[in-house]
Amino acid sequence: DTEVTQTPKHLVMGMTNKKSLKCEQHMGHRAMYWYKQKAKKPPELMFVYSYEKLSINESVPSRFSPECPNSSLLNLHLHALQPEDSALYLCASSRSAGEQYFGPGTRLTVT
Amino acid sequence: KQEVTQIPAALSVPEGENLVLNCSFTDSAIYNLQWFRQDPGKGLTSLLLIQSSQREQTSGRLNASLDKSSGRSTLYIAASQPGDSATYLCAPTRAGGGADGLTFGKGTHLIIQP
């Protein structure tokens, strides 16, 4: 099984809302990632969790907050987002520096 | 900082043709390189992974080569089909032994005409 699941598939939220994106994998991978992809652009790395240790892309604003409750789950908490944060949010996992497997993404619209 | 360039940016050909997609990267200290395809609005599907010690990798009609010293990889698609229409992305992984985010090229948008 090489599946990474993401929920929800679509999310519409206002700028004052708080919401969370969820990602799950059962491949025994110890590294999980969040990427942001704007239309017609390649994915850009936001966060990496490797063995539950967080690495941050310093350009990511604090209104995005990752959480890794265990090695199979990765959440992305959203608060006070801006319309320019509307994008496809992709989760991936890997066995350390090996092949990365991506989920189907969450399409986020901020109104 | 790794920079990845993909050429061509877009390609439209009739089905049946053999295709070559190019990827170049500035930092040759890589651990591996992945090729992905992405359908509109969807996630990324991993096509091939080439380890830095390998020269090429094959899966069905796809063949990817890697020349780490020159910072280049190519994806060869044989006998193209309309179902191959998608955006193709390459991404090298930085050497270092640990998990690292991928740096993507801007992709090649491929259209195979029936």
Side-chain angles (χ1 to χ4, degrees), chain B residues 1-98:
Chain B
K1 180 188 172 185
Q2 181 73 275
E3 293 183 6
V4 182
T5 302
Q6 290 189 243
I7 295 173
L11 186 60
S12 181
V13 299
E15 68 175 306
E17 288 201 7
N18 301 325
L19 307 172
V20 176
L21 308 183
N22 297 290
C23 171
S24 61
F25 46 94
T26 54
D27 185 352
S28 62
I30 65 169
Y31 184 72
N32 59 41
L33 186 142
Q34 270 186 271
W35 281 94
F36 297 89
R37 72 171 278 167
Q38 186 173 31
D39 295 289
K42 306 293 186 183
L44 277 65
T45 301
S46 180
L47 297 173
L48 288 164
L49 172 77
I50 312 178
Q51 300 287 354
S52 61
S53 58
Q54 296 177 312
R55 297 286 290 180
E56 64 178 64
Q57 192 69 255
T58 297
S59 176
R61 294 182 294 107
L62 304 179
N63 175 276
S65 66
L66 175 64
D67 184 342
K68 200 174 76 161
S69 61
S70 67
R72 293 181 183 178
S73 178
T74 59
L75 179 66
Y76 178 82
I77 303 176
S80 58
Q81 302 171 357
D84 295 330
S85 298
T87 296
Y88 290 79
L89 297 159
C90 72
T93 301
R94 185 177 61 92

Side-chain angles (χ1 to χ4, degrees), chain A residues 28-33 92-101, chain B residues 99-100:
Chain A
H29 291 168
R30 299 304 299 270
M32 296 186 74
Y33 313 78
S93 71
S94 71
R95 185 169 284 113
S96 188
E99 186 171 5
Q100 289 195 19
Y101 296 89
Chain B
D100 205 2

